[in-house]
Amino acid sequence: MLQNKKLLIISPEDFGVVFLSKHHYAEELSKKNKVWFLNAKGNRRQKKLIEISNEDSNLSIVNYFNLFFGFGKIPFWLTKLINNFLSARIRRAMGDVDIVWTFEQSKFFDLDLFGAKHKIFHPVDYIDQFHFEKKLISDSADIIFSVSDEILNTLVTSTPKHFINHGVQISNSCQQANLSIDRRKVNIGYVGNINSPYLDIKNLLKAVELNNDAMFHFIGPYESSNLGQIKSSNNYESLKKFKNIVFHGVISKPLLVNTLKKFDILISCYNYSKDSIRLSNSHKILEYLCAGKIVVSNYFPVYKKVNMEIICLVEDNSMFGERVQEVSEKLEFYNEIEKQKLRLVLAKENSYSNQIKRIEELLDNQLK
């Protein structure tokens, strides 16, 4: 089903230096298929309505002149007219495709317009708006995938829905355990945007203060990228006051796993109670598992059945700092080689290539 096909991937984020799941799926699928990746924003400086550039022999990037004015600002009939016009021009520029696979939750909500044999809706994030558009996309799709049952349950449709966990890119670095404990100083790593409004900054600050003999390393973007604009917040100002924090900025994907392997504990501290649907899963956890080291995290329903010695979930974030402290005192136990190997196995089970195999099996059963 997913070999020697022509695919159009519609993404809410442009193709660029920083990769999210949409970009990884496009890259992985292009190994056995011809893939067109439709950028999100369009390019107002381009001379033609539709411009296509080649990323490699099997992966092309499609830019369109953005005619969208923002939903709710113009009548729906006009929005629909724009959808029809742009999808027809995009289809003409690419030619026929076998599969249209959209991660977008607002634009191009009638997947039938692309003339594909099979239509996939794959929301990997929860957006608390565009309910009408998401309903239209869901109904026009043949099958729906998402990273949590909580997100799937928000989609009211008769279209079949299936859970597919986040994927992770398995590099050569994610192949063997690495036992390295610096008894002079515990090193704790965090990857992500510290300006996220869903970061539980209160309990994160408490953890940093309580574990003042450990070093906290924050890895994440501080500048705008292909994923959007970085807005300043009080989180960075609050964190930079601590002497036991180091900010590393963005680290490229090829270097990230090796960097994470140098840390003793990897943490996630989102405010799950603030938005249990949006925070029902996180790609971050799989990236951490690739490093092999113990993960101390806020609660994620997806991992509730995983042994606490592999992923230490904290159901109440008020105990997050104490749990980090408890784990740091038993690193020989939590980071022993056998436990690291189990984390690597869990990561590999969720590689993008394995997720595509699961999707392919579901497509074969559903769409024959």
Side-chain angles (χ1 to χ4, degrees):
M1 179 63 74
L2 293 176
Q3 297 184 32
N4 301 314
K5 295 292 190 298
K6 297 178 181 178
L7 294 94
L8 169 63
I9 291 182
I10 304 175
S11 170
E13 288 95 14
D14 285 356
F15 205 89
V17 177
V18 183
F19 269 31
L20 294 178
S21 55
K22 305 90 177 171
H23 312 98
H24 286 298
Y25 271 112
E27 191 173 59
E28 187 68 30
L29 286 163
S30 70
K31 294 177 181 179
K32 297 181 180 180
N33 303 275
K34 173 62 179 175
V35 176
W36 286 268
F37 187 96
L38 183 61
N39 273 344
K41 299 174 185 177
N43 184 357
R44 292 189 179 276
R45 292 174 294 180
Q46 65 190 61
K47 296 180 180 180
K48 297 180 181 179
L49 180 66
I50 309 295
E51 292 187 351
I52 299 177
S53 59
N54 294 324
E55 188 72 15
D56 60 39
S57 58
N58 276 339
L59 178 58
S60 299
I61 309 303
V62 182
N63 281 299
Y64 63 94
F65 190 85
N66 195 350
L67 298 176
F68 291 102
F69 298 96
F71 290 91
K73 296 182 180 180
I74 58 176
F76 178 72
W77 66 265
L78 182 54
T79 300
K80 185 176 180 180
L81 188 64
I82 293 171
N83 265 282
N84 294 354
F85 175 75
L86 285 176
S87 58
R89 295 303 185 275
I90 292 167
R91 182 180 176 183
R92 183 185 299 174
M94 293 185 311
D96 292 333
V97 294
D98 299 299
I99 299 172
V100 57
W101 189 328
T102 184
F103 296 87
E104 173 63 63
Q105 300 183 43
S106 59
K107 303 174 188 175
F108 303 109
F109 42 75
D110 185 355
L111 299 182
D112 290 321
L113 294 173
F114 291 99
K117 298 175 184 176
H118 306 300
K119 299 155 290 181
I120 300 170
F121 182 29
H122 197 160
V124 293
D125 306 295
Y126 177 68
I127 301 176
D128 190 20
Q129 55 183 319
F130 308 128
H131 296 291
F132 179 62
E133 288 78 15
K134 283 190 283 189
K135 168 68 173 171
L136 293 175
I137 298 171
S138 298
D139 289 344
S140 69
D142 297 315
I143 196 166
I144 299 172
F145 305 113
S146 192
V147 296
S148 77
D149 291 331
E150 287 77 7
I151 294 176
L152 288 173
N153 290 339
T154 67
L155 303 173
V156 181
T157 180
S158 60
T159 303
K161 300 180 289 186
H162 301 275
F163 166 75
I164 294 290
N165 196 11
H166 280 295
V168 67
Q169 188 178 38
I170 303 298
S171 64
N172 292 332
S173 302
C174 185
Q175 298 295 333
Q176 59 185 14
N178 175 30
L179 185 62
S180 59
I181 297 176
D182 185 348
R183 298 185 181 277
R184 296 168 298 175
K185 184 76 69 173
V186 175
N187 287 287
I188 300 170
Y190 172 87
V191 177
N193 177 14
I194 63 170
N195 292 320
S196 168
Y198 301 100
L199 191 68
D200 189 345
I201 189 64
K202 175 184 176 181
N203 285 302
L204 183 58
L205 290 170
K206 179 182 173 183
V208 174
E209 186 173 11
L210 181 63
N211 296 272
N212 56 16
D213 55 343
M215 288 301 299
F216 286 77
H217 301 262
F218 285 84
I219 299 170
Y222 291 93
E223 298 178 331
S224 299
S225 70
N226 59 294
L227 305 186
Q229 301 295 315
I230 298 296
K231 297 180 180 179
S232 61
S233 75
N234 293 327
N235 291 357
Y236 173 67
E237 297 300 323
S238 299
L239 287 165
K240 75 177 186 178
K241 296 176 183 178
F242 289 88
K243 295 182 179 179
N244 60 325
I245 290 181
V246 179
F247 297 97
H248 296 270
V250 176
I251 293 179
S252 65
K253 282 284 184 180
L255 298 177
L256 184 59
V257 173
N258 280 331
T259 301
L260 294 181
K261 282 179 176 288
K262 298 176 183 178
F263 303 139
D264 304 298
I265 303 171
L266 297 167
I267 61 172
S268 171
C269 191
Y270 291 118
N271 192 344
Y272 175 74
S273 61
K274 186 174 182 179
D275 194 329
S276 60
I277 300 176
R278 192 185 306 270
L279 299 175
S280 54
N281 199 353
S282 173
H283 177 264
K284 188 195 313 290
I285 301 301
L286 289 176
E287 289 188 331
Y288 286 173
L289 292 172
C290 272
K293 302 301 177 62
I294 180 64
V295 178
V296 179
S297 170
N298 58 277
Y299 181 72
F300 287 115
V302 171
Y303 297 105
K304 63 183 179 182
K305 294 183 180 180
V306 178
N307 192 306
M308 291 286 286
E309 295 175 4
I310 305 303
I311 302 175
C312 187
L313 294 182
V314 182
E315 294 194 21
D316 182 352
N317 275 7
S318 65
M319 298 299 296
F320 184 80
E322 286 82 354
R323 191 60 54 83
V324 171
Q325 187 177 52
E326 291 170 8
V327 169
S328 66
E329 293 171 354
K330 299 179 181 179
L331 287 177
E332 290 88 348
F333 171 76
Y334 283 103
N335 282 341
E336 65 182 14
I337 294 297
E338 289 308 310
K339 290 187 177 66
Q340 290 196 47
K341 288 180 179 178
L342 289 174
R343 294 185 190 107
L344 296 177
V345 167
L346 184 53
K348 292 173 185 177
E349 286 177 355
N350 289 279
S351 68
Y352 282 106
S353 59
N354 280 334
Q355 302 302 39
I356 287 174
K357 289 178 184 177
R358 294 184 178 101
I359 290 171
E360 188 171 31
E361 183 177 347
L362 288 166
L363 287 171
D364 282 338
N365 293 334
Q366 187 77 43
L367 305 178
K368 282 183 178 178

